[in-house]
Amino acid sequence: MTLFWCVVPILLLFFGKAWSSAKIREFYSRSQHALEATVAAEMDNQQPSWINDVAQRAQFTASLSELCLKKEVPDWFLESIAGNEEGMGFLTRHAALMETFGAPFCDQVQAAAELVDSAWQGSKLRGY
């Protein structure tokens, strides 16, 4: 019986880690496909299903700000992208493509925040 209580937690830990790793791989796969399509300007007019829902758009913006803050992206940098029609269009188009690949809303926001963070990291390297 003692062996049972030692083996079960190890198995649960192993399967939990495998499930988590699979979810992370799935997220990054969707994000990469969407980014490739976004950069290639595929489906330029595509918008996420929630784009006309004012509450969802507000949630997207608030969550994007929160995640960028956690990633230590300055407010002024996020505002320069999200406050710009072209920049926000790029982020929402990326979210739409993520949605096309089956990503839930939270993954769409996460992917948009990673795009902003990536742009910030590139800017820091150039001395901004």
Side-chain angles (χ1 to χ4, degrees), residues 1-67:
M1 190 61 152
T2 304
L3 182 64
F4 175 77
W5 289 111
C6 292
V7 173
V8 169
I10 292 170
L11 288 175
L12 288 175
L13 181 64
F14 174 74
F15 288 118
K17 185 169 175 56
W19 180 80
S20 177
S21 295
K23 293 300 260 180
I24 290 169
R25 277 194 306 278
E26 180 182 7
F27 168 78
Y28 281 107
S29 174
R30 287 177 181 156
S31 183
Q32 190 61 37
H33 289 312
L35 183 58
E36 290 168 2
T38 303
V39 170
E42 293 176 17
M43 300 183 268
D44 273 344
N45 296 326
Q46 183 154 353
Q47 293 295 327
S49 62
W50 48 262
I51 197 70
N52 292 322
D53 183 344
V54 175
Q56 280 290 105
R57 278 198 332 256
Q59 179 65 38
F60 179 80
T61 304
S63 298
L64 179 64
S65 296
E66 181 180 329
L67 288 172

Side-chain angles (χ1 to χ4, degrees), residues 59-128:
Q59 179 65 38
F60 179 80
T61 304
S63 298
L64 179 64
S65 296
E66 181 180 329
L67 288 172
C68 286
L69 181 64
K70 286 181 183 177
K71 293 177 179 288
E72 299 180 358
V73 175
D75 287 337
W76 64 266
F77 189 81
L78 174 61
E79 185 59 33
S80 71
I81 295 173
N84 174 317
E85 184 177 333
E86 184 178 340
M88 186 54 106
F90 186 83
L91 294 176
T92 56
R93 187 168 55 248
H94 185 66
L97 291 167
M98 288 283 293
E99 187 175 60
T100 299
F101 295 122
F105 181 76
C106 60
D107 285 357
Q108 296 170 38
V109 176
Q110 177 71 32
E114 288 184 8
L115 282 177
V116 173
D117 183 49
S118 177
W120 169 241
Q121 297 304 324
S123 294
K124 283 187 352 185
L125 290 174
R126 289 188 298 271
Y128 289 105

